[in-house]
Amino acid sequence: MNAVNQIDRQAPLSTDETRRKVIGLDSLTKDFGSVRAVDNVTFDVFAGEFVGIMGPSGSGKTTLLNILSLLDVPTGGSYRLDGVETARLTEAEQVVIRREKIGLVFQQFHLIPYLTAVENLMLAQYYHSMADRGEAMEALDRIGLADRADHLPSQLSGGEQQRVCIARALINDPALILADEPTGNLDEGNEERVMGLFKELQAGGRTIILVTHNPDLGAQTDYVIRLQHGRRVA
């Protein structure tokens, strides 16, 4: 059995198994030349937890999230995902895990400019299994954008594009959601809508890691991991 098959990509993370370790970091480091962006970071995240990662600009938050999402590799230390050492995974196995297990929400929108909002969601469905316009419309309705389904990204505001990105990340019901400043372009009302959606997902057993600079959002998570100069601080 290869490494990717050892990871239960479709595991229903119910509340009665919250002590199952989803993420385990041990002395993780990441260097860019002579600059150490992540410095000897250790922590665990268990199934069903909603964890915040906070710190000033340049503290290593986004670099750490890129490693957790398998978009980057650490220089040293260990990263285990569902008990599997990610250093053992091939590039093809990492692609499968990102597609089927992890929902990614970035600061940049990365929407296909010539596809409508609903088509962008259907494209994400297609890479997972089969496109379903009805399900894609339901996802847009959850974030209050059903009436903008047939608009191109250029016809949407920044906040609307961000909400489409969030819907796209959630369309295939991932077990692990990694979000980098997902409400940075949203007004207060839509920020509350997104945080409420995350809490609903957590109640359904999803595991969520939220990178934010906003202490009000951090206070809504189960606990916060604080970084400074790449190190975890108390």
Side-chain angles (χ1 to χ4, degrees):
M1 180 181 294
N2 62 23
V4 72
N5 288 333
Q6 295 177 39
I7 296 178
D8 188 355
R9 298 189 301 271
Q10 300 299 326
L13 306 183
S14 60
T15 54
D16 61 358
E17 62 161 348
T18 53
R19 298 318 294 170
R20 183 170 67 83
K21 188 186 297 185
V22 175
I23 288 173
L25 301 187
D26 185 10
S27 301
L28 194 81
T29 63
K30 177 63 179 179
D31 296 330
F32 294 99
S34 61
V35 176
R36 176 151 290 184
V38 177
D39 189 359
N40 201 41
V41 171
T42 296
F43 64 81
D44 297 326
V45 177
F46 293 87
E49 289 186 327
F50 189 176
V51 180
I53 297 180
M54 299 188 67
S57 178
S59 62
K61 302 186 301 297
T62 296
T63 299
L64 179 58
L65 201 71
N66 286 341
I67 293 173
L68 296 179
S69 59
L70 303 178
L71 293 173
D72 205 348
V73 295
T75 306
S78 173
Y79 169 28
R80 298 181 70 84
L81 179 61
D82 271 352
V84 173
E85 177 54 63
T86 58
R88 295 173 46 206
L89 298 171
T90 66
E91 185 174 343
E93 289 172 335
Q94 292 178 27
V95 169
V96 171
I97 292 170
R98 282 197 301 270
R99 184 178 66 215
E100 300 192 4
K101 183 181 180 68
I102 302 174
L104 301 174
V105 184
F106 298 109
Q107 288 177 291
Q108 294 78 24
F109 305 135
H110 300 305
L111 294 173
I112 306 300
Y114 52 83
L115 297 181
T116 64
V118 69
E119 289 170 343
N120 267 278
L121 268 63
M122 292 171 68
L123 181 63
Q125 289 177 314
Y126 174 78
Y127 281 115
H128 180 268
S129 55
M130 182 180 296
D132 185 319
R133 183 181 175 90
E135 288 185 359
M137 287 298 299
E138 288 178 9
L140 287 175
D141 187 54
R142 289 185 75 182
I143 58 163
L145 284 180
D147 62 335
R148 309 287 281 172
D150 294 317
H151 288 66
L152 295 171
S154 61
Q155 299 170 313
L156 302 174
S157 70
E160 289 171 334
Q161 291 184 65
Q162 182 65 298
R163 281 189 281 161
V164 173
C165 293
I166 292 170
R168 180 183 59 189
L170 304 179
I171 191 66
N172 294 316
D173 194 24
L176 174 63
I177 299 163
L178 304 175
D180 189 0
E181 300 284 3
T183 64
N185 296 303
L186 304 182
D187 59 27
E188 183 176 354
N190 283 313
E191 179 181 278
E192 291 177 358
R193 182 195 294 267
V194 169
M195 291 300 290
L197 177 57
F198 283 156
K199 290 175 182 177
E200 288 178 19
L201 291 164
Q202 182 193 18
R206 306 301 103 175
T207 305
I208 304 170
I209 297 181
L210 169 70
V211 167
T212 181
H213 70 280
N214 187 333
D216 292 333
L217 298 187
Q220 297 182 53
T221 65
D222 294 335
Y223 62 91
V224 171
I225 294 168
R226 299 187 183 277
L227 299 180
Q228 188 170 356
H229 303 300
R231 285 183 170 271
R232 185 178 181 182
V233 297

